[in-house]
Amino acid sequence: MIKAAIVGGTGYTGVELLRLLANHPDVELKVITSRSEAGTAVADMFPNLRGQVDLKFSEPDPAKLAECDVAFYATPHGVAMEGARALLEAGVRVVDLGADFRIQDIPVWEQWYGMSHTTPDLVKEAVYGLPEVNRDAIKDARLIACPGCYPTATQLGYLPLIENGLIDSRRLIVDAKSGVSGAGRKASVGTLMCEASESMKAYAVPGHRHQPEISERLSLVAGHKVGLTFVPHLTPMIRGIHATLYSTITGDVGDLQTLYEERYADEPFVDVMQPGSHPETRSVKGGNVCRIAIHRPQGGDTLVVLSVIDNLVKGASGQAIQNMNLMFGLNERAGLNIVPLMP
Amino acid sequence: MIKAAIVGGTGYTGVELLRLLANHPDVELKVITSRSEAGTAVADMFPNLRGQVDLKFSEPDPAKLAECDVAFYATPHGVAMEGARALLEAGVRVVDLGADFRIQDIPVWEQWYGMSHTTPDLVKEAVYGLPEVNRDAIKDARLIACPGCYPTATQLGYLPLIENGLIDSRRLIVDAKSGVSGAGRKASVGTLMCEASESMKAYAVPGHRHQPEISERLSLVAGHKVGLTFVPHLTPMIRGIHATLYSTITGDVGDLQTLYEERYADEPFVDVMQPGSHPETRSVKGGNVCRIAIHRPQGGDTLVVLSVIDNLVKGASGQAIQNMNLMFGLNERAGLNIVPLMP
Amino acid sequence: MIKAAIVGGTGYTGVELLRLLANHPDVELKVITSRSEAGTAVADMFPNLRGQVDLKFSEPDPAKLAECDVAFYATPHGVAMEGARALLEAGVRVVDLGADFRIQDIPVWEQWYGMSHTTPDLVKEAVYGLPEVNRDAIKDARLIACPGCYPTATQLGYLPLIENGLIDSRRLIVDAKSGVSGAGRKASVGTLMCEASESMKAYAVPGHRHQPEISERLSLVAGHKVGLTFVPHLTPMIRGIHATLYSTITGDVGDLQTLYEERYADEPFVDVMQPGSHPETRSVKGGNVCRIAIHRPQGGDTLVVLSVIDNLVKGASGQAIQNMNLMFGLNERAGLNIVPLMP
Amino acid sequence: MIKAAIVGGTGYTGVELLRLLANHPDVELKVITSRSEAGTAVADMFPNLRGQVDLKFSEPDPAKLAECDVAFYATPHGVAMEGARALLEAGVRVVDLGADFRIQDIPVWEQWYGMSHTTPDLVKEAVYGLPEVNRDAIKDARLIACPGCYPTATQLGYLPLIENGLIDSRRLIVDAKSGVSGAGRKASVGTLMCEASESMKAYAVPGHRHQPEISERLSLVAGHKVGLTFVPHLTPMIRGIHATLYSTITGDVGDLQTLYEERYADEPFVDVMQPGSHPETRSVKGGNVCRIAIHRPQGGDTLVVLSVIDNLVKGASGQAIQNMNLMFGLNERAGLNIVPLMP
């Protein structure tokens, strides 16, 4: 059994890791830390876990963490970069669900996240944990930077087009819609039910932190710097991301449906839907899967790719476990064979 | 592997059976019938099942059903009573999620369900599938009448009080709140999102079919006819029942918390919460569990028991599988060890 | 034109006063105070008011308030009792939407609100602003204590029964369901959309501040101390209260429908619905009305009264304006002739 | 007083007309027709109207309609084109909230709406009821084609850019999100609360009827055929449209904020928000207003315009009344001076 720790377990990605690890056949959860909740039983804070998780939050203790095989950081940015080195040196694999190691370009990271990066060498070492692109590197990695939620849905949607140079990658437009859980479990007026339900709005149109992450990663795939307009929207639902991806073809693109199906034929967690489909976010609620449909409205030169994930699963905690499975040579599906909850 | 069939699989209890059986370690789903959708792939109708269930709806075919070990009826009332006998005679166990065998008093059933009952002898044979009351009888049963959703939450909440004669059972008041999925997956104006969301209303106050069911069952426990006012409410959420149970004590009731904890100590799917708790329906969303809290406001003689379930799981499909597990000598928890989805 | 001030206008009752006063034909809003938002344009905080309200929040300034004819306190408890006397002495009428003057029994108030009351004499003077009971006193009042939201729905539902001594008033049971706006516009984890939507729960079952308020008022009506179990529930919707009121008849009650219709025949804001009705909270959304239906399930001795209001309108800001209309001799309906928004 | 009729009043645009006309100072509602509900009191079907509208649905009767000054068609397409001529000949002004007269290109209309158009001459006569473009023509019109909901939000957002030739109008991308009320008040599985809430999906990506309408209208403005990709999404809320409009600038565009502010300076129902704003659909809920914000992310050449309306008000019934006000020489704001409901 792999011994696992969660650092910072009181947010939504934390409780989602708990849900998924509680039934993982190869993992034993040993430690979950929280400064503010140390001593509280996890199941008292998250009653869905009553009878399933019998653990208390504890103060972060480097010695205890060092006894684990893997540590998940479910923390705000800035925390993992402080703690990761000691764990790595103690032989603990680290999977960061936060943003600390997602962007290779350190000045860009520092600009968007508003702080100095203290461990640039670890950024260099970190493997970007999108298995559909980096599976082999993940298997050998000590340190994983889990992709952001929007970047996961966006990259999986665009990859086949950009890998094959079929679209004008200087003019990508990503119109993304996220459920409110993406804003995290912290007291704030803006995500109160009275403020966020029964309404839709765009936010961060002038600039969002996931834009440079997507941009850097797709540029690596394209072989040149892509141009990307990214507009996120707050949607009145708890879970789910719906990314609507626009692009312009540059020539004959052939059979896109087949292209996508072949690209993802061996991927356990990417589902290319039938032609004409409109994936719903609820079809992935609670499951570690990205469903994709490809449209070319009226045969024109604008493509529309629809890509949906559960932001807390394939967009965060599920993907983190998928990465862990790969790092430890487990079945990639272990603990992730979940049927989404519908209705 | 137990070979299972679902009769009438296009409603919400049907898709929920599919979700739960897809990961059941001891069951192989062989047949799912639907007259209207025969030929359609299940995963085309319910895309959450893509990659998990590879089966098509088929016309109901007695011969094919007879090859199974167990058949679940997820049908409107009136269907199971027509089909059950042939299956039972063919050696198939039958678990009815509908109402056909729930009420022993045939005239009462006929009055509330508006039709003649064609198989009263089967009603007599049927075991009422509330394992917390009838576990032994269920193990030996050929035919199970799964309790209604409201009756499940209500009975589990009242049982310890009534079994011990602690309350005035002639004046029970059940104020129950249900999510909209209780109304089923059929086109109707009243459960459109624009009609049912952002609103709360009582319904069927003059009389609801679950009232005689609860009444008959609690009367059996009490040893005399109970008096029960039952007021259901339509609540703007998809899943969940919250039953608020009022009663008046008739004397010294002792330590109710201990009473409840001892009553349910060995029950795998009943969770007696700590004193002072307020169970939320979301804490059971997707899970086969009933969470209960007992209150005696300001030490008065009115008791308030709070009892929550997911109407589609412990209130329907999960309980059906729990019954099946018992009938076939499986681990009662098999396939039901699900962590509720929160948030 | 009546010159009006709002003290503490950044909460939901504040913005609702703004919405209603913006179109009131006889009122000019002169001042709206907020310590934290002084200098901010009201329409910047509440964009629904853009183009309708051209006012900025200002620091509370006694001199400016004293120039008004009426001041609405839309503040947490403890604020109005500090400020009211000076305003009253300056000839300003005061309408408190908070709890400071609602309960005549000072020790009871102090126990439930956790502070000493500094102006018990004003409590004595204050008129409880339920026009359906106190219309004449309101007309002459200088100081109004607006009822709480739950107490409004509850009292209007019970009044005809208790006024006529038809029920056992020692065993009243109020099962009340409120939308989340009742919890106010303050950052808190419990009312985040991810926590409060798609779930139902009871809260404060051991004791809620509106219990003593209802109890005191209904006791006045009954002529003796009533016994009341009050269980509020948090419901996943923004606006609305649905009170389900249980009681036991003590003898022949006659024609209850007629009783209610006659009791409220001249009330502009109470709507007795047809026999058999189930009022929906959405039918009063945004409107200053209480809709009521009376049921006697299966002719038994338990009565069920259903009473719905919009907690922010008839349960707060609308009722406050109704009181103001009465105090200033205006048409009671002025500014309140609003059609609820449906769907 | 203007005598008004509503033809087909049982849908959401019908009840919204009723809400708005109930308080219109210059209109008396005389007739509301419905074949299926003839004889039913309007307030029995829509209890929000109890006490406000005292009218029954009646069979459509040409003679009675002919006695009115104006008739609103709140019907599915195909109805108004059959009834309009007789009314016009009787001197009744006709405002069609449906699609029958929206598209001048008859073959295009017939292709998208799947039927033959029986009154092409009336299409020619009809004035497209977007006051911000056609105010003068509306004043003189006998027959108004009210714009669709998406087309309203989209055109108001794009107009200043296209009128001034600032963008590449061959590559417009409209990503639009609509609340569920856009689908109407008819029994259907897809818009049940259990299907449509807690989920987001695109629909009709291969082609939607509002695409040719927008395209034809914007082409008129541009002076050449525009190219438009239009992707609508079903959003889990009741009311509201959020249109996110993408375009590429073709040169120096100057100060866009000023451009928009000047373009709409005299418009009573278009609100250009401050730079950097993100309009929320809830800020227009129930109100006849379109709020717009203009963004140029990171100074690039892609513009993002955010445009929100209430689909039932500025997107349908409110705009219909605005048109009526213009046709009859009333104050354009009459009956429409509504503060949106927030929260």
Side-chain angles (χ1 to χ4, degrees):
Chain A
M1 295 291 277
I2 292 163
K3 286 172 281 182
I6 299 174
V7 181
T10 61
Y12 291 139
T13 55
V15 64
E16 193 67 354
L17 280 170
L18 287 163
R19 178 178 76 96
L20 297 170
L21 292 176
N23 283 333
H24 195 294
D26 307 310
V27 177
E28 191 181 8
L29 185 62
K30 303 292 280 187
V31 180
I32 178 162
T33 77
S34 163
R35 284 210 155 76
S36 59
E37 297 292 339
T40 304
V42 165
D44 284 355
M45 170 162 276
F46 300 120
N48 63 319
L49 299 172
R50 285 175 62 90
Q52 302 267 6
V53 173
D54 185 24
L55 206 64
K56 290 185 177 182
F57 291 107
S58 58
E59 290 281 347
D61 174 346
K64 276 201 182 153
L65 293 176
E67 290 169 14
C68 293
D69 300 306
V70 62
F72 294 95
Y73 275 86
T75 46
H77 62 271
V79 177
M81 72 182 180
E82 297 300 336
R85 192 185 311 277
L87 291 180
L88 292 173
E89 287 173 356
V92 183
R93 311 278 184 101
V94 173
V95 179
D96 181 22
L97 284 77
D100 289 5
F101 308 107
R102 285 178 188 162
I103 293 178
Q104 290 293 320
D105 187 328
I106 301 294
V108 164
W109 189 91
E110 293 182 332
Q111 174 198 334
W112 285 92
Y113 287 90
M115 58 169 65
S116 294
H117 206 296
T118 58
T119 53
D121 60 314
L122 291 183
V123 176
K124 222 169 188 172
E125 176 182 347
V127 174
Y128 188 73
L130 193 66
E132 292 76 9
V133 175
N134 285 341
R135 184 167 283 107
D136 288 341
I138 291 165
K139 289 178 180 169
D140 299 330
R142 295 193 310 166
L143 172 59
I144 296 287
C146 283
C149 49
Y150 288 126
T152 296
T154 301
Q155 290 175 76
L156 294 176
Y158 271 137
L159 275 178
L161 297 174
I162 294 182
E163 287 171 349
N164 293 282
L166 301 179
I167 54 174
D168 179 356
S169 54
R170 297 160 311 158
R171 289 207 188 284
L172 305 175
I173 290 177
V174 177
D175 189 290
K177 299 91 176 165
S178 173
V180 182
S181 61
R185 187 176 169 278
K186 58 178 175 294
S188 101
V189 170
T191 49
L192 292 178
M193 176 155 172
C194 291
E195 304 286 315
S197 75
E198 284 296 305
S199 193
M200 163 64 83
K201 68 168 179 181
Y203 66 99
V205 181
H208 184 283
R209 287 162 174 172
H210 286 175
Q211 197 274 351
E213 178 184 342
I214 300 169
S215 199
E216 183 179 89
R217 286 290 145 186
L218 289 183
S219 296
L220 277 175
V221 173
H224 60 260
K225 186 148 182 48
V226 304
L228 175 74
T229 299
F230 175 67
V231 177
H233 298 73
L234 191 67
T235 307
M237 59 188 184
I238 297 175
R239 288 170 180 246
I241 283 181
H242 187 293
T244 312
L245 311 176
Y246 300 92
S247 59
T248 309
I249 59 174
T250 50
D252 181 16
V253 293
D255 179 351
L256 293 172
Q257 181 70 22
T258 302
L259 176 79
Y260 272 72
E261 287 180 1
E262 290 181 351
R263 172 62 177 84
Y264 292 124
D266 297 330
E267 285 300 336
F269 297 117
V270 180
D271 174 24
V272 179
M273 299 184 76
Q274 292 134 308
S277 295
H278 297 93
E280 305 172 81
T281 61
R282 68 185 186 126
S283 76
V284 300
K285 189 164 57 182
N288 191 57
V289 61
C290 176
R291 300 199 203 276
I292 295 176
I294 311 102
H295 289 264
R296 188 174 170 181
Q298 301 175 54
D301 58 5
T302 300
L303 300 183
V304 180
V305 179
L306 312 173
S307 171
V308 303
I309 59 170
D310 183 326
N311 53 307
L312 296 180
V313 193
K314 184 61 179 164
S317 304
Q319 188 148 264
I321 290 168
Q322 186 182 356
N323 277 297
M324 179 202 72
N325 287 344
L326 289 168
M327 292 166 95
F328 287 88
L330 307 175
N331 180 341
E332 192 169 340
R333 283 182 166 282
L336 296 173
N337 209 27
I338 301 156
V339 184
L341 197 67
M342 191 171 120
Chain B
M1 296 291 276
I2 293 163
K3 285 171 283 181
I6 299 174
V7 180
T10 61
Y12 291 139
T13 54
V15 63
E16 193 68 353
L17 280 170
L18 287 164
R19 178 178 76 95
L20 296 169
L21 292 176
N23 283 333
H24 195 294
D26 307 310
V27 176
E28 191 181 7
L29 185 62
K30 303 292 281 186
V31 180
I32 179 162
T33 78
S34 164
R35 284 210 157 75
S36 59
E37 296 294 337
T40 303
V42 165
D44 284 355
M45 171 163 274
F46 301 121
N48 63 320
L49 299 172
R50 285 175 62 89
Q52 303 266 5
V53 174
D54 185 23
L55 207 64
K56 290 186 178 181
F57 292 106
S58 59
E59 289 282 348
D61 173 348
K64 275 200 182 154
L65 293 175
E67 290 168 16
C68 293
D69 300 305
V70 62
F72 295 95
Y73 275 85
T75 46
H77 62 271
V79 176
M81 72 183 179
E82 297 300 335
R85 192 185 312 275
L87 291 180
L88 293 172
E89 287 173 356
V92 183
R93 311 279 184 101
V94 172
V95 180
D96 181 22
L97 284 78
D100 288 6
F101 308 106
R102 286 178 188 162
I103 294 178
Q104 289 293 320
D105 187 327
I106 301 293
V108 165
W109 189 91
E110 293 182 332
Q111 173 198 337
W112 284 92
Y113 288 90
M115 57 170 66
S116 294
H117 206 296
T118 58
T119 53
D121 60 315
L122 292 183
V123 175
K124 222 169 190 173
E125 175 183 346
V127 174
Y128 189 72
L130 193 64
E132 292 77 7
V133 175
N134 285 341
R135 184 167 283 106
D136 288 342
I138 291 165
K139 288 178 180 168
D140 298 330
R142 295 194 308 165
L143 172 60
I144 295 288
C146 283
C149 49
Y150 288 126
T152 296
T154 300
Q155 290 175 74
L156 293 176
Y158 271 136
L159 275 178
L161 297 174
I162 294 183
E163 287 171 349
N164 293 281
L166 301 178
I167 54 174
D168 178 356
S169 55
R170 297 159 311 157
R171 289 206 188 284
L172 306 176
I173 291 178
V174 178
D175 189 291
K177 299 90 177 166
S178 173
V180 182
S181 61
R185 186 177 168 278
K186 57 179 175 294
S188 100
V189 169
T191 50
L192 291 178
M193 175 156 172
C194 291
E195 304 286 314
S197 75
E198 284 297 305
S199 193
M200 163 62 86
K201 67 168 180 183
Y203 66 99
V205 180
H208 184 282
R209 289 162 173 173
H210 286 176
Q211 198 273 352
E213 178 185 342
I214 300 170
S215 200
E216 183 180 271
R217 286 292 145 184
L218 289 182
S219 297
L220 277 175
V221 174
H224 60 261
K225 185 146 183 49
V226 304
L228 175 73
T229 299
F230 174 67
V231 178
H233 298 73
L234 190 67
T235 307
M237 58 188 184
I238 297 175
R239 287 170 181 247
I241 281 180
H242 187 294
T244 312
L245 311 175
Y246 300 92
S247 59
T248 309
I249 59 174
T250 50
D252 181 16
V253 293
D255 179 352
L256 293 172
Q257 182 69 25
T258 301
L259 176 78
Y260 272 72
E261 287 179 2
E262 291 182 351
R263 172 62 177 84
Y264 292 124
D266 297 329
E267 286 300 337
F269 298 117
V270 180
D271 172 26
V272 178
M273 299 184 75
Q274 292 134 309
S277 295
H278 298 91
E280 304 172 82
T281 60
R282 67 185 187 125
S283 77
V284 299
K285 188 163 59 183
N288 191 58
V289 61
C290 176
R291 300 199 203 276
I292 295 175
I294 311 102
H295 290 264
R296 186 174 172 182
Q298 302 175 54
D301 59 5
T302 300
L303 300 184
V304 180
V305 179
L306 312 173
S307 171
V308 303
I309 59 170
D310 183 326
N311 54 307
L312 296 180
V313 192
K314 183 62 178 164
S317 304
Q319 188 147 266
I321 290 170
Q322 185 182 355
N323 277 297
M324 179 201 72
N325 287 345
L326 289 167
M327 292 166 95
F328 287 89
L330 307 175
N331 180 340
E332 193 170 340
R333 284 182 165 282
L336 296 174
N337 208 27
I338 300 155
V339 184
L341 196 66
M342 192 171 118
Chain C
M1 295 291 277
I2 293 163
K3 285 171 283 180
I6 299 174
V7 181
T10 61
Y12 291 139
T13 55
V15 64
E16 193 67 353
L17 279 171
L18 287 164
R19 177 177 77 95
L20 297 170
L21 292 176
N23 283 334
H24 195 295
D26 307 311
V27 177
E28 191 182 6
L29 185 63
K30 303 294 280 188
V31 180
I32 179 161
T33 78
S34 163
R35 283 210 157 74
S36 59
E37 298 292 337
T40 303
V42 165
D44 284 354
M45 170 163 275
F46 300 119
N48 62 321
L49 299 171
R50 286 175 63 88
Q52 303 267 6
V53 174
D54 185 24
L55 207 64
K56 290 185 178 183
F57 291 107
S58 59
E59 290 282 348
D61 173 347
K64 276 200 183 153
L65 293 174
E67 290 167 15
C68 293
D69 301 305
V70 63
F72 295 95
Y73 275 86
T75 45
H77 61 272
V79 177
M81 73 182 179
E82 296 300 335
R85 193 185 310 276
L87 290 180
L88 292 173
E89 288 174 356
V92 183
R93 310 280 184 100
V94 172
V95 180
D96 181 22
L97 284 77
D100 289 5
F101 308 106
R102 286 179 187 160
I103 293 178
Q104 290 293 321
D105 187 328
I106 301 293
V108 164
W109 189 92
E110 293 181 332
Q111 172 198 335
W112 284 92
Y113 288 90
M115 58 170 65
S116 295
H117 205 296
T118 58
T119 54
D121 61 314
L122 292 183
V123 176
K124 222 169 189 173
E125 176 183 346
V127 174
Y128 189 73
L130 193 66
E132 293 76 7
V133 175
N134 286 340
R135 183 167 284 108
D136 288 341
I138 291 165
K139 288 178 181 170
D140 299 329
R142 296 194 308 166
L143 172 59
I144 296 288
C146 283
C149 49
Y150 288 126
T152 296
T154 301
Q155 290 174 75
L156 294 176
Y158 271 137
L159 274 179
L161 297 174
I162 294 182
E163 287 170 349
N164 293 283
L166 301 179
I167 53 174
D168 178 356
S169 55
R170 297 160 311 158
R171 290 206 188 285
L172 305 176
I173 290 177
V174 178
D175 189 290
K177 300 91 178 166
S178 173
V180 182
S181 60
R185 187 176 168 278
K186 56 178 177 292
S188 102
V189 169
T191 49
L192 292 178
M193 177 158 171
C194 291
E195 304 286 314
S197 76
E198 285 295 306
S199 193
M200 163 62 86
K201 67 168 179 182
Y203 66 99
V205 180
H208 184 282
R209 288 162 174 173
H210 286 177
Q211 198 273 351
E213 179 185 342
I214 300 169
S215 199
E216 182 178 271
R217 286 291 144 185
L218 288 183
S219 297
L220 278 175
V221 174
H224 59 260
K225 187 147 182 49
V226 305
L228 176 73
T229 299
F230 174 66
V231 177
H233 298 73
L234 190 68
T235 307
M237 59 189 183
I238 297 175
R239 288 171 181 246
I241 282 180
H242 186 294
T244 312
L245 311 175
Y246 299 92
S247 60
T248 309
I249 59 174
T250 50
D252 180 16
V253 293
D255 180 351
L256 294 171
Q257 181 71 22
T258 301
L259 177 78
Y260 271 72
E261 288 180 3
E262 291 181 351
R263 172 61 178 85
Y264 291 125
D266 296 329
E267 286 299 336
F269 298 117
V270 180
D271 173 24
V272 179
M273 300 184 76
Q274 292 134 308
S277 294
H278 298 91
E280 305 173 80
T281 61
R282 68 185 186 127
S283 77
V284 299
K285 189 164 58 182
N288 191 57
V289 61
C290 176
R291 299 199 204 277
I292 296 176
I294 312 102
H295 290 264
R296 187 175 171 180
Q298 302 175 54
D301 58 6
T302 299
L303 300 183
V304 181
V305 179
L306 312 174
S307 171
V308 304
I309 59 170
D310 183 325
N311 54 308
L312 296 180
V313 193
K314 184 60 178 163
S317 304
Q319 188 148 264
I321 290 169
Q322 186 182 355
N323 277 297
M324 180 203 70
N325 287 345
L326 289 167
M327 293 166 94
F328 287 88
L330 307 175
N331 181 341
E332 193 169 341
R333 283 182 166 284
L336 296 174
N337 209 29
I338 300 156
V339 184
L341 197 67
M342 191 171 120
Chain D
M1 295 291 276
I2 293 163
K3 285 171 281 180
I6 300 175
V7 181
T10 60
Y12 291 138
T13 55
V15 63
E16 192 67 353
L17 280 170
L18 287 163
R19 177 178 75 96
L20 297 170
L21 292 176
N23 283 333
H24 195 295
D26 307 310
V27 176
E28 192 182 6
L29 185 62
K30 303 293 280 187
V31 180
I32 179 162
T33 77
S34 164
R35 285 210 156 75
S36 59
E37 298 292 337
T40 303
V42 165
D44 284 355
M45 171 163 274
F46 300 120
N48 63 320
L49 299 172
R50 286 175 62 90
Q52 302 267 5
V53 173
D54 185 24
L55 206 65
K56 290 186 177 181
F57 291 107
S58 58
E59 290 282 348
D61 172 347
K64 276 199 182 154
L65 293 175
E67 290 168 15
C68 293
D69 300 305
V70 62
F72 295 95
Y73 274 86
T75 45
H77 61 271
V79 176
M81 72 182 179
E82 297 300 337
R85 192 185 311 276
L87 291 180
L88 292 174
E89 286 173 357
V92 183
R93 310 278 184 101
V94 173
V95 179
D96 181 22
L97 284 78
D100 288 5
F101 308 106
R102 286 179 188 161
I103 293 178
Q104 290 293 319
D105 187 328
I106 301 294
V108 164
W109 189 91
E110 294 182 330
Q111 174 198 335
W112 284 92
Y113 288 90
M115 58 170 66
S116 295
H117 206 296
T118 58
T119 53
D121 61 314
L122 292 183
V123 175
K124 222 169 190 173
E125 176 183 347
V127 174
Y128 189 73
L130 193 65
E132 293 77 6
V133 175
N134 286 341
R135 183 168 284 109
D136 288 342
I138 292 164
K139 288 178 181 170
D140 298 330
R142 294 195 308 166
L143 172 59
I144 296 288
C146 283
C149 49
Y150 288 127
T152 296
T154 300
Q155 290 174 75
L156 293 175
Y158 272 137
L159 274 178
L161 297 175
I162 295 183
E163 287 171 348
N164 292 283
L166 301 179
I167 54 174
D168 179 357
S169 54
R170 297 160 311 157
R171 289 206 189 284
L172 306 175
I173 291 177
V174 178
D175 189 290
K177 299 90 177 166
S178 174
V180 181
S181 61
R185 186 175 169 278
K186 57 178 176 293
S188 102
V189 170
T191 50
L192 292 177
M193 177 158 171
C194 291
E195 304 286 315
S197 76
E198 284 297 304
S199 192
M200 163 62 86
K201 68 168 179 181
Y203 66 99
V205 181
H208 184 282
R209 289 162 173 174
H210 286 176
Q211 197 272 354
E213 179 184 342
I214 300 169
S215 200
E216 182 178 270
R217 285 292 145 184
L218 289 183
S219 297
L220 277 175
V221 173
H224 60 259
K225 185 148 184 48
V226 305
L228 175 73
T229 299
F230 174 67
V231 177
H233 298 73
L234 190 67
T235 307
M237 59 189 183
I238 297 175
R239 287 170 181 247
I241 282 180
H242 187 294
T244 312
L245 311 176
Y246 300 92
S247 60
T248 309
I249 59 173
T250 50
D252 182 16
V253 292
D255 179 351
L256 293 171
Q257 181 70 22
T258 301
L259 176 78
Y260 272 72
E261 287 179 1
E262 291 182 351
R263 173 62 177 84
Y264 291 125
D266 296 331
E267 286 300 337
F269 297 118
V270 180
D271 174 24
V272 179
M273 300 184 75
Q274 292 135 309
S277 295
H278 298 91
E280 304 172 80
T281 60
R282 68 185 186 127
S283 77
V284 299
K285 188 164 59 183
N288 191 57
V289 61
C290 176
R291 299 197 204 277
I292 295 176
I294 311 103
H295 290 263
R296 187 175 171 180
Q298 302 176 54
D301 58 6
T302 300
L303 300 183
V304 180
V305 179
L306 311 173
S307 173
V308 303
I309 59 171
D310 182 325
N311 53 307
L312 296 180
V313 193
K314 184 62 178 163
S317 304
Q319 188 147 264
I321 289 169
Q322 186 182 355
N323 277 297
M324 179 202 70
N325 287 345
L326 289 168
M327 293 166 94
F328 288 88
L330 308 174
N331 180 341
E332 193 169 341
R333 283 181 165 284
L336 296 174
N337 209 27
I338 301 155
V339 184
L341 197 67
M342 190 170 121

